Amino acid sequence: MPPLVTFIVTRLAIGFLLGATAGFVVWRKSIAPVSPSYSYVAQGMFIYQFASTIGVCYLATALMFDEP
């Protein structure tokens, strides 16, 4: 696999994992502005919202500060 693809995939995966963890913690601590629901679909969408946003931002920051 080319080095750029490896770089992108690893940074996206790391950011996604950090975001999923943050979303899970926010959902469980009930600090989120949603009613406490036990629906797995709602919880999955909430966690995915955090994970996708933080994953893309982590990748963008890594690409911006990468040394040539």
Side-chain angles (χ1 to χ4, degrees):
M1 198 164 16
L4 180 62
V5 174
T6 305
F7 180 83
I8 289 174
V9 169
T10 55
R11 296 308 185 266
L12 209 71
I14 291 169
F16 193 87
L17 181 65
L18 290 172
T21 304
F24 183 75
V25 168
V26 169
W27 182 271
R28 287 294 178 199
K29 294 291 184 180
S30 297
I31 357 178
V34 293
S35 62
S37 173
Y38 295 105
S39 171
Y40 292 118
V41 175
Q43 183 179 5
M45 290 176 66
F46 187 81
I47 291 172
Y48 180 76
Q49 172 188 355
F50 272 83
S52 62
T53 303
I54 294 177
V56 170
C57 292
Y58 188 86
L59 173 64
T61 305
L63 287 173
M64 185 171 53
F65 290 118
D66 186 31
E67 296 287 328

